[in-house]
Structures are given as structure tokens and as C-alpha cells.
Amino acid sequence: MEQDPKIHSTIETARKNRAPLIVIILVLIVVGGYAGYRIGSAMSPKVSGVEARNERVTTVDAVFEQVQDQGTLVCASQSYDLYSKVESSNRDLLNLFDVPFTKNKYWMRYAGTIQAGVNLKTAKFTSQNKDKRSGLPKSVVVELDAPKIISNTPDMDKTEIVDQENNIFNPIDPDSVVDLQKRCVEQSNKDALSGGLINQAKTFAKQNLQTMLRGAMGSNVKVTINWRS
């Protein structure tokens, strides 16, 4: 059965125009997407100069808050190794003289590490000379409490009783060992303070804060530390 010439012509025309039709559809999709993007951009609120400056201020404040949230900043540490002697004897009933053959003595080696640091939670930050373009400060003044000893941790691998001379008539009193440990802790703290641990902590606290603030605000920001008395 022969096909009608008009129908045959219509089919051939549709076959020939299929490719241009697909191209037209793709073009319409691209144009529609671009128009939607432009409309969406036009509807989006623009950030004003004042809002941008406020955002930068918020960012600076966030930096200060992050520093404070670190709590205690360990700035310096010092190891120690002490030897202390305990010697005792029983006394007579009137406490006038030592009873013979009741003497005991021992030496204690007490070793450990002392750490000093600053409390960042009480830190106060003041921005100065803000840059008009970036909104970032050119200098920051930090007010801090003076460093303190924050820990004194014994090294149990080294801490021990040595050179012990016990006596069955006067055994070593455990309380005397505890008292000796307390005295060693007090002595180690005293030695650390007189040995410049606090000054060392101040130096490293300044360096650490400079590193943190310059990393967030730029390497040229000037950081000044004022210590509270």
C-alpha cells in the first residue's frame, strides 16, 4: 500500500527538524536558568558598608572569646629532684633525752615537675588604631593576672625512700613520710619561684598570645601585655 505523498513529506520534515528542535530546547533551558539566577541575585539583600564593618567587629570579638575559652595557658615548666632527711628517736618519759638504741633515719628522694601559667578567662582585650578598610586593629592591649604555679606533679618513678635505717623499737612513722612529702612540695615551689619560673612564664605567655592574635589578625598587629599587680 502506497503512502500518501503529503504524509510522507510531513514525516520527512519532522525528521529533518528534530536536531534544531533539541538545540532550541537546550538554549531555552540555559536562558531560563540564567534569568532565574539574575532575579535571585537582584532579590538577595546587599550587605552595606556599615554591616560589613559590624561583621568585622564581631569577628575580632570572636577571636578574643576563643582565646579566653582556652582557660589556663601553661607557659613554663621546671623539673626538680630533692633529697631530704628524717631522723628521730624515742624520748624518755620526761622528754629530757633520747632513749638509746631507738634511733631511726631515712632519706627521701622527691622528684617532679612544676608548671606555671596564666588564667586567660580573666584576660581583658582592648583594640586600638583600627584599620578603616579591614576593620582589624593595628594593636591589641591584653591585661592579664600574673602567672601562678598551677601544678606540682611528682615523678613516682623517681620518688622513693633511700638509705633507710629502721629500728624495731622505733619504726618509721607513715605520718612522717607524708609530712616530708609536703615539705618537699613547699620547698620545690619556693625554689621555682626564686629561680625565675614566674618571669619565664610571663615571657612565654607574651610569645604565645602574640602568635595566636597575629595568626588571626595579621602578622603586623602589635600585642602589648600589661600584668595586673
Side-chain angles (χ1 to χ4, degrees), residues 176-211:
S176 71
V177 178
V178 174
D179 291 340
L180 181 57
Q181 289 176 332
K182 291 180 180 179
R183 292 202 301 271
C184 288
V185 170
E186 293 173 356
Q187 185 62 45
S188 62
N189 287 342
K190 183 178 178 181
D191 293 344
L193 294 175
S194 62
L197 182 65
I198 297 303
N199 290 333
Q200 185 182 7
K202 287 183 176 181
T203 299
F204 287 127
K206 181 178 180 180
Q207 293 177 357
N208 290 336
L209 286 170
Q210 284 178 338
T211 300

Side-chain angles (χ1 to χ4, degrees), residues 106-161:
Y106 64 91
W107 286 82
M108 171 175 279
R109 181 188 183 189
Y110 196 85
T113 302
I114 295 178
Q115 291 184 329
V118 294
N119 183 8
L120 294 180
K121 291 183 178 180
T122 60
K124 180 181 178 181
F125 299 89
T126 303
S127 301
Q128 296 180 342
N129 303 322
K130 292 184 179 180
D131 184 88
K132 294 182 179 179
R133 178 173 297 181
S134 67
L136 296 175
K138 296 181 180 179
S139 64
V140 176
V141 177
V142 186
E143 186 177 329
L144 289 171
D145 292 330
K148 296 180 179 179
I149 292 177
I150 57 177
S151 68
N152 189 332
T153 306
D155 185 344
M156 301 310 298
D157 292 334
K158 296 180 180 179
T159 299
E160 59 182 342
I161 294 178

Side-chain angles (χ1 to χ4, degrees), residues 69-106:
D69 287 343
Q70 294 189 39
T72 301
L73 176 64
V74 179
C75 304
S77 63
Q78 180 176 310
S79 298
Y80 61 87
D81 199 336
L82 302 176
Y83 285 86
S84 187
K85 179 183 177 182
V86 172
E87 186 173 355
S88 69
S89 297
N90 288 334
R91 303 287 288 178
D92 71 319
L93 295 178
L94 299 178
N95 199 29
L96 297 176
F97 59 89
D98 291 338
V99 177
F101 309 110
T102 62
K103 181 178 179 181
N104 72 33
K105 69 176 181 178
Y106 64 91

Side-chain angles (χ1 to χ4, degrees), residues 63-64 67 125 136-140 142 206-225:
V63 171
F64 295 155
V67 174
F125 299 89
L136 296 175
K138 296 181 180 179
S139 64
V140 176
V142 186
K206 181 178 180 180
Q207 293 177 357
N208 290 336
L209 286 170
Q210 284 178 338
T211 300
M212 286 187 284
L213 295 177
R214 286 174 179 171
M217 301 179 182
S219 58
N220 293 326
V221 64
K222 180 182 178 181
V223 180
T224 302
I225 307 295

